[in-house]
Amino acid sequence: MRLRYQSRSQGSEPVQYDYPVSITWTPCHLGGERPWFRCPQCDSRVLNLYGGAMFACRHCMRLNYRSQQASKRDRATDRSWALRYSLGCDSGPFDYPAEYIRRPKGMHRKTFARRLEQLSRIEEKAVAEIDALLEVLR
Ligand SMILES: [Zn+2]
């Protein structure tokens, strides 16, 4: 993917940006493939890129998902973090696919299945939000 846009910080001239963002694909647990971005700055495989003057992953942007800075776009991501935490998963939705989460010891299978299903709906929504963002960029 190629990103072309202009960005202006307060009181300065707009700056033109034009740079490529790699997209890679990995197989899904139940078939099919899912896309990932490569962060243009550190080359990490991520599903979210955040916009400052340039787009980058949350590590590069020094974002904290659990902080109050969460924008509207991050809400599905926040809910996903909370659910993952309740499933004993410390990794974020875009670092570690939900299908790899193991059932915590002592959690009923039904509870686990229900939370996983809920998680996959929320993460689908998070992906849709990113897709909408991409559409705007396009
Ligand atoms: Zn990065």
Side-chain angles (χ1 to χ4, degrees):
M1 181 174 76
R2 180 179 172 187
L3 293 182
R4 279 192 297 175
Y5 55 91
Q6 66 177 26
S7 173
R8 182 209 302 260
S9 32
Q10 266 182 338
S12 56
E13 288 300 301
V15 179
Q16 307 289 333
Y17 290 91
D18 185 345
Y19 53 92
V21 175
S22 301
I23 295 174
T24 56
W25 297 81
T26 57
C28 292
H29 186 55
L30 297 173
E33 286 188 304
R34 83 191 303 172
W36 304 81
F37 293 119
R38 290 268 177 201
C39 170
Q41 300 190 18
C42 70
D43 204 39
S44 299
R45 195 177 71 183
V46 292
L47 202 49
N48 256 335
L49 290 177
Y50 293 88
M54 286 185 73
F55 285 80
C57 74
R58 72 188 172 94
H59 300 288
C60 292
M61 299 299 283
R62 294 186 168 74
L63 283 183
N64 180 347
Y65 281 133
R66 295 178 205 191
S67 78
Q68 294 306 312
Q69 321 163 348
S71 69
K72 194 175 172 190
R73 203 172 75 226
D74 294 324
R75 279 177 195 162
T77 305
D78 283 341
R79 289 204 309 282
S80 146
W81 264 102
L83 251 179
R84 280 171 174 259
Y85 188 74
S86 81
L87 290 169
C89 175
D90 276 341
S91 298
F94 306 125
D95 301 326
Y96 189 79
E99 55 262 37
Y100 298 136
I101 297 174
R102 293 257 182 96
R103 182 167 57 94
K105 276 200 172 79
M107 182 181 284
H108 289 290
R109 285 178 192 280
K110 272 189 176 171
T111 306
F112 180 66
R114 196 177 58 235
R115 288 193 185 163
L116 259 195
E117 198 187 291
Q118 200 180 354
L119 184 63
S120 80
R121 275 200 307 273
I122 287 168
E123 292 186 350
E124 251 172 51
K125 197 173 168 206
V127 171
E129 287 169 2
I130 298 309
D131 284 345
L133 173 66
L134 283 178
E135 199 51 49
V136 169
L137 286 172
R138 225 174 264 131

